[in-house]
Amino acid sequence: MKLFDYAKADSAEAAVREGSTSDTKFIAGGTNLLDLMKLQIETPARLVDISRLPLDQIEEIDGSVRIGALVPNSDLAANPIIRDRYEVLSRALLAGASGQLRNKASTGGNLLQRTRCYYFYETAARCNKRVPGSGCDAKEGFNRILAVLGTSEACIATHPSDMAVAMRALDATIVTLGSDGEKRRIAIGDFYRLPGDTPDVEHVLRPGELITHVELPAPPKGRQTYRKVRDRASYAFALVSVAGIVAVENGRIASARLAFGGLGPMPWRDEGVERVLVGQAPSDALFGEAADMLLREARGFGSNDFKIPLTRRTLVATLRELTA
């Protein structure tokens, strides 16, 4: 780990002033950042500690919910409002990491965690996300956990978060504070960027911009679930996951929201899949059509080819559960 300066912020405004340079990082729980610093993948010259800021509350406001960026994942999963009204989010959080990590990991940090691609972490390997322009060894290497949707010639990494997948299905809004004092509200669907030719640019935050809250609108109608397929029962990243919210009225699907993890460089949502379902009577044939729509541009890279049929089976099983 390289030497760095350390500052402790006593307000969000002080934090963004301290963190306005590109070689500064905010730290809260540190469950991802410290690992990256130890491997010298992240080498900030300065850390700004935001862990003591008053951003650890969950508030209900006019039917919506406002979540502070420093709310630990374990507290968010256990909150009665989240458990009762946003079951998909509580389930997704409990499916992620371990109890010890959930106690430290923050809501804002979870949104910003970096990929778990083996080649990103192996500093002897070529990785455009770590060293822009160096190449991508993952495409011809062991890519079992990597993306089949939204990839580019430069990168096939996946986004690792479970929480963000559920928040994508819930149409969350990310609230930020910039170093110039500007407050922004960013829909989660607009927050992440596809890799294209610049896989090192993963989101739309500006240097020094701090996530302060996440807002969830009133929960949509219907049943909610989060289904995660992984190599072992706990402490493993998703091979495929589905956050689903489906309402059935008079024997037909009235509304559907589906977001996917383990498939792309961001929490993946394709509204065309949802349109296939709405207005139709539930059936395995219909669910197969939805899977065809989702996977129409899917591409495997050898070790991860199995993800395509696995995704089909997982989506069908999830829709069966939600429409039973």
Side-chain angles (χ1 to χ4, degrees):
M1 183 183 290
K2 291 189 176 181
L3 294 176
F4 56 88
D5 292 330
Y6 172 84
K8 184 179 292 186
D10 57 9
S11 68
E13 292 75 16
V16 296
R17 286 196 302 270
E18 294 275 4
S20 60
T21 60
S22 60
D23 58 355
T24 299
K25 292 285 185 180
F26 298 120
I27 185 167
T31 56
N32 187 206
L33 177 59
L34 290 178
D35 286 343
L36 295 172
M37 290 175 65
K38 290 174 185 177
L39 294 170
Q40 296 192 24
I41 295 167
E42 294 275 12
T43 56
R46 184 177 178 82
L47 287 185
V48 177
D49 187 343
I50 61 170
S51 62
R52 302 296 192 274
L53 300 186
L55 299 174
D56 58 352
Q57 301 298 311
I58 301 171
E59 306 168 281
E60 188 173 8
I61 303 172
D62 297 329
S64 64
V65 173
R66 184 175 172 90
I67 303 162
L70 296 180
V71 173
N73 287 177
S74 54
D75 289 2
L76 184 58
N79 182 271
I81 297 172
I82 302 301
R83 289 173 58 190
D84 293 345
R85 298 172 56 193
Y86 303 93
E87 180 185 359
V88 64
L89 177 55
S90 182
R91 285 175 173 249
L93 286 161
L94 293 174
S98 65
Q100 295 92 331
L101 286 171
R102 290 195 296 269
N103 287 341
K104 289 294 292 181
S106 66
T107 299
N110 190 305
L111 292 169
L112 295 175
Q113 62 182 300
R114 309 293 303 275
T115 183
R116 262 53 178 194
C117 174
Y118 306 124
Y119 299 94
F120 175 70
Y121 276 82
E122 176 49 72
T123 55
R126 298 182 306 157
C127 172
N128 289 315
K129 187 179 286 291
R130 177 169 34 81
V131 182
S134 63
C136 176
D137 282 340
K139 289 193 299 181
E140 303 298 330
F142 185 64
N143 46 50
R144 187 171 185 273
I145 66 171
L146 300 183
V148 296
L149 291 171
T151 60
S152 72
E153 290 304 308
C155 185
I156 62 171
T158 45
H159 192 273
S161 174
D162 291 288
M163 183 197 77
V165 176
M167 287 190 169
R168 183 78 195 268
L170 290 166
D171 287 332
T173 297
I174 297 166
V175 183
T176 69
L177 177 66
S179 58
D180 57 357
E182 180 186 2
K183 296 180 179 180
R184 289 205 293 164
R185 296 170 52 81
I186 308 166
I188 193 169
D190 298 326
F191 184 74
Y192 296 105
R193 288 181 45 157
L194 290 172
D197 295 328
T198 55
D200 56 308
V201 183
E202 298 173 347
H203 49 69
V204 300
L205 288 183
R206 301 162 184 161
E209 193 169 12
L210 176 69
I211 296 174
T212 60
H213 297 85
V214 176
E215 295 179 354
L216 302 178
K221 294 180 180 179
R223 298 175 67 178
Q224 303 182 22
T225 195
Y226 186 75
R227 183 180 291 252
K228 180 176 181 178
V229 181
R230 48 189 163 176
D231 284 325
R232 55 184 182 270
S234 67
Y235 197 36
F237 294 99
L239 297 171
V240 178
S241 65
V242 184
I245 308 170
V246 175
V248 178
E249 298 177 3
N250 300 318
R252 295 185 177 273
I253 296 173
S255 62
R257 298 187 187 196
L258 297 164
F260 301 85
L263 298 184
M266 62 176 68
W268 198 260
R269 187 172 174 187
D270 184 339
E271 294 182 358
V273 178
E274 299 164 10
R275 287 193 293 270
V276 166
L277 296 168
V278 173
Q280 305 299 313
S283 70
D284 281 358
L286 176 66
F287 302 158
E289 288 181 35
D292 288 341
M293 174 63 72
L294 172 66
L295 298 168
R296 63 193 183 279
E297 296 181 358
R299 175 190 174 192
F301 294 88
S303 301
N304 68 349
D305 291 350
F306 75 98
K307 279 195 174 188
I308 296 173
L310 176 62
T311 299
R312 175 179 295 276
R313 294 193 299 271
T314 304
L315 176 56
V316 169
T318 303
L319 289 171
R320 284 173 180 164
E321 174 188 351
L322 290 170
T323 60

